């Protein structure tokens, strides 16, 4: 879900290299991120947690401020 959300937000895959994916290293440096809200970035960080047990449930996702606004 996190990868798809990332692609929908900025049209790019979230991780440039495998090492970044393994450690869930995100970068919001690309100019495309300027138009993305704080709430969307916050949700994306939660969705792309390296530890699957730390990722939100569907109920938590739907109640996130990004979807409430």
């Amino acid at each position: 879900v996190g990868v798809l959300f990332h692609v929908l937000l900025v049209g790019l895959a979230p991780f440039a290299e495998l090492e970044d994916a393994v450690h869930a290293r995100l970068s919001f440096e690309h100019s495309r991120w300027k138009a993305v809200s704080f709430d969307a970035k916050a949700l994306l960080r939660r969705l792309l947690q390296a530890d699957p047990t730390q990722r939100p449930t569907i109920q938590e996702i739907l109640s996130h401020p990004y979807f409430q606004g």
Side-chain angles (χ1 to χ4, degrees):
V1 170
V3 172
L4 292 173
F5 189 56
H6 189 286
V7 171
L8 289 171
L9 288 172
V10 292
L12 300 170
F15 304 111
E17 300 188 23
L18 181 59
E19 182 71 15
D20 293 335
V22 169
H23 298 288
R25 290 187 200 126
L26 289 174
S27 171
F28 297 118
E29 299 299 318
H30 195 282
S31 62
R32 294 180 189 208
W33 286 106
K34 291 179 183 178
V36 177
S37 71
F38 173 82
D39 287 336
K41 292 175 191 173
L43 177 56
L44 185 61
R45 283 186 189 99
R46 292 209 52 216
L47 291 171
L48 292 175
Q49 288 288 319
D51 180 357
T53 65
Q54 298 300 310
R55 295 179 195 149
T57 65
I58 190 65
Q59 294 301 332
E60 292 171 323
I61 293 168
L62 293 175
S63 65
H64 190 276
Y66 176 77
F67 287 108
Q68 298 303 309

